[in-house]
Amino acid sequence: SIQWMLLSRFASRITTHLIRNMSDFKDKEMALANDLVQFLTSSPSPYHCVQTSKAMLSRAGFVGISETNLKDWKNIQPNGKYYFTRNQSTIVAFAVGGKWVPGNGFTAMGAHTDSPVFKIKPVSKTTGTGFLSIGVAPYGGGLWHTWFDRDLSIAGRVIVANDDSSSFEHKLVNLIRPVLSIPNLAIHLTSGDERTSFKPNRETHFVPILASVVKAELASPQPNTKADDEAKKVDTELNNHHPLLISLLASELKCKPEDIRDFDLNLFDTNAPRIGGALDEFIYSARLDNQAMCFITLTSLINSCETLDNEQNIRLVALFDNEEIGSQSNRGADSRLLPSVFERLNGPETLDSALQKSILISADMAHGCHPNYAGKHEPNHKIGLHHGLVIKYNSQERYATTGLSSFLLREVARRHSIPVQQFSVRNDSPCGSTIGPMLSAHCGIRTVDCGVSQFAMHSIREMCGVADILHSTDLLTHFFNDFSELDTKLSVD
Ligand SMILES: [Zn+2]
């Protein structure tokens, strides 16, 4: 019948529409996941993470300012977009609403640039075993056993002297190719007991090998070079590290070995971040905690600038160093950095009132429910991959989320039909913490702790789902757009 024909034509139109919408989502999801993979690949250290963030912000029209240049701060204007860095390992970006006046609020988001890694010790030269090895120290709480048998490289920043040593510069370095390895001990040399209670010693068992003495001697037939004589006279980095390591850095930096004055370097896995799974739905990478949230908050801030003209608030993203060791440093979340930025931008008089109109989204990765360890999750709070951003609650305030702050985020999610999840840890399990509670306390600001769910947090290779990157970026973009208006509709004493 005609009716049937019309109905089936209508149905097929709906199906085509649905498929188109789904494939739209799929295209966006993959494009964003690929951008994140790029971000992770170019960020093997916190210094590189900040560098990558700066590049993203500059492309989006944000202007670099300096904490030490008073004029920069005087010239901040409504509709302006700015960023500054501290120690090149923390970065703060902000966009001033077109309708902003002092006393209006801040819509702020925070994340962290650091991850658990091995850092090269101040004196790293280790020999005597037939190998040139490098002394390293663990930073943060890593799943250190995952660092064995990896093709490791070195990245970070180096202080370099110019030609006549009259000035000094900090330069980023990334050796890119694998130059170090920490081999496992063969199964034949370990007893069954040793294997079941596998407990590598953090001092003696994690000493990466750079080269064999045999090959190193062949590579530099005259050990008494001029640089070595120079090194004996003064305390330079040449005394403290294998010349081979210094020459690798120098050739990468295109400087002389003796110009290298100091550094902050960490190891990283050269296995590049990748999208995988039979259906291309997972991201495998180091540092998802927390560079994924750095990428998502920055992308959201940049996307939200379309509506900046009509905004009352200042929208801000702060990416801190040193979360993994408790945030206590001059560039960590436990410092005066964020309170002083708020004061600098708003001025002192109306600051307290402005802070009570503000909110902070503390963005740090969350734990998805691992299918092989499902019992580790509380049955009512089992977190999935692809099910949206996770809001984290803890009755002991290890997370700063309250019913009120979570309502604001969930209301934005509801308005735009974006999925979110809620997480609370089992009562018999330990719980992590993050920058949310300390920032909330220091700034006196409402805070939501949330993050994308992942597996294998703090492993050298972590894993998350591609859909969550898009869900979370959509949600946080809308949150930047909607918060100041939504907050006027909420009355609380
Ligand atoms: Zn984290």
Side-chain angles (χ1 to χ4, degrees):
S1 73
I2 296 249
Q3 256 182 341
W4 174 248
M5 248 176 61
L6 283 176
L7 194 66
S8 72
R9 209 178 288 163
F10 178 68
S12 95
R13 213 182 307 146
I14 287 203
T15 322
T16 323
H17 177 75
L18 272 178
I19 289 172
R20 195 176 319 120
N21 266 3
M22 275 165 61
S23 77
D24 256 19
F25 187 86
K26 180 85 190 150
D27 289 350
K28 274 194 196 161
E29 181 182 275
M30 288 315 282
L32 198 64
N34 278 311
D35 287 350
L36 171 58
V37 164
Q38 283 306 311
F39 187 96
L40 292 158
T41 308
S42 42
S43 307
S45 78
Y47 310 99
H48 288 84
C49 180
V50 165
Q51 187 72 12
T52 312
S53 305
K54 271 161 74 170
M56 261 176 89
L57 290 162
S58 303
R59 278 197 302 275
F62 282 69
V63 179
I65 61 171
S66 160
E67 281 195 280
T68 54
N69 189 341
L70 296 179
K71 229 197 215 159
D72 282 351
W73 293 80
K74 273 200 194 109
N75 291 338
I76 288 170
Q77 296 292 334
N79 275 319
K81 301 182 283 186
Y82 313 89
Y83 68 83
F84 71 85
T85 66
R86 187 181 286 186
N87 188 51
Q88 174 72 27
S89 60
T90 288
I91 183 163
V92 180
F94 52 93
V96 185
K99 296 186 173 160
W100 177 82
V101 290
N104 290 4
F106 294 91
T107 310
M109 300 192 189
H112 64 90
T113 59
D114 62 322
S115 306
V117 284
F118 284 104
K119 296 197 166 187
I120 296 183
K121 286 182 176 179
V123 180
S124 74
K125 198 161 32 177
T126 307
T127 42
T129 54
F131 293 92
L132 308 187
S133 300
I134 305 272
V136 295
Y139 168 88
L143 289 175
W144 300 124
H145 62 275
T146 62
W147 285 70
F148 284 105
D149 301 337
R150 300 283 177 164
D151 308 339
L152 301 173
S153 189
I154 297 170
R157 62 106 173 266
V158 178
I159 312 300
V160 184
N162 76 358
D163 274 346
D164 59 356
S165 291
S166 62
S167 64
F168 310 90
E169 202 184 336
H170 113 148
K171 286 187 174 171
L172 300 198
V173 66
N174 176 0
L175 294 186
I176 299 170
R177 75 186 175 92
V179 294
L180 294 169
S181 179
I182 309 170
N184 255 299
L185 183 61
I187 191 166
H188 315 86
L189 304 180
T190 55
S191 67
D193 275 357
E194 279 173 328
R195 285 195 300 277
T196 46
S197 62
F198 179 57
K199 246 192 180 169
N201 181 295
R202 284 198 229 164
E203 176 63 31
T204 56
H205 294 153
F206 290 99
V207 190
I209 296 170
L210 179 69
S212 67
V213 168
V214 178
K215 289 283 187 190
E217 278 174 357
L218 283 174
S220 64
Q222 294 149 313
N224 283 324
T225 59
K226 210 177 127 222
D228 270 10
D229 291 343
E230 196 63 27
K232 278 176 199 132
K233 278 184 256 161
V234 280
D235 168 37
T236 73
E237 292 311 282
L238 299 172
N239 285 323
N240 297 334
H241 309 280
H242 287 303
L244 188 56
L245 171 63
I246 297 295
S247 73
L248 283 177
L249 296 171
S251 81
E252 191 63 32
L253 289 162
K254 298 184 176 53
C255 70
K256 295 195 291 276
E258 56 271 32
D259 291 339
I260 292 180
R261 295 308 168 89
D262 213 327
F263 54 60
D264 296 289
L265 295 171
N266 61 258
L267 312 190
F268 72 95
D269 186 4
T270 56
N271 188 12
R274 225 170 246 136
I275 293 175
L279 301 173
D280 281 339
E281 61 178 301
F282 303 121
I283 300 172
Y284 308 130
S285 175
R287 305 179 299 276
L288 286 174
D289 173 18
N290 194 23
Q291 290 183 2
M293 295 318 303
C294 293
F295 171 81
I296 289 169
T297 51
L298 280 178
T299 307
S300 303
L301 174 64
I302 289 168
N303 291 350
S304 82
C305 286
E306 279 179 24
T307 62
L308 194 61
D309 219 16
N310 211 23
E311 171 65 279
Q312 318 260 349
N313 279 9
I314 293 179
R315 299 175 183 171
L316 179 146
V317 167
L319 309 177
F320 297 96
D321 195 3
N322 297 133
E323 189 273 344
E324 298 294 355
I325 46 107
S327 297
Q328 251 186 355
S329 70
N330 71 330
R331 63 243 176 240
D334 203 15
S335 69
R336 288 239 336 114
L337 198 154
L338 196 57
S340 85
V341 171
F342 286 156
E343 186 167 347
R344 254 185 138 164
L345 290 176
N346 185 84
E349 258 160 54
T350 53
L351 182 62
D352 287 334
S353 146
L355 289 174
Q356 296 320 308
K357 297 176 192 160
S358 303
I359 194 157
L360 174 77
I361 303 281
S362 158
D364 201 350
M365 298 295 274
H367 304 295
C369 182
H370 192 310
N372 307 345
Y373 298 87
K376 290 278 180 187
H377 277 249
E378 200 260 292
N380 281 338
H381 300 91
K382 279 194 178 5
I383 297 305
L385 262 49
H386 304 314
H387 288 73
L389 190 67
V390 180
I391 304 176
K392 303 187 253 183
Y393 303 77
N394 183 267
S395 58
Q396 313 288 341
E397 290 286 323
R398 304 275 293 162
Y399 299 126
T401 311
T402 64
L404 181 93
S405 64
S406 91
F407 157 75
L408 288 161
L409 184 56
R410 292 174 72 204
E411 176 59 15
V412 173
R414 194 194 59 77
R415 282 181 176 190
H416 300 280
S417 308
I418 300 168
V420 285
Q421 311 183 70
Q422 292 171 291
F423 175 72
S424 175
V425 81
R426 284 177 62 100
N427 296 343
D428 56 3
S429 164
C431 183
S433 189
T434 178
I435 57 176
M438 62 185 70
L439 288 173
S440 178
H442 291 336
C443 305
I445 183 173
R446 292 172 285 177
T447 299
V448 193
D449 271 302
C450 61
V452 163
S453 61
Q454 68 162 104
F455 297 145
M457 189 179 283
H458 291 192
S459 167
I460 201 165
R461 198 75 173 168
E462 303 172 331
M463 174 175 173
C464 71
V466 291
D468 291 326
I469 308 303
L470 183 54
H471 288 320
S472 306
T473 306
D474 279 350
L475 176 57
L476 297 186
T477 303
H478 284 300
F479 192 83
F480 270 129
N481 290 338
D482 294 3
F483 169 74
S484 55
E485 173 266 329
L486 172 63
D487 197 39
T488 60
K489 301 196 171 138
L490 170 69
S491 39
V492 176
D493 289 331

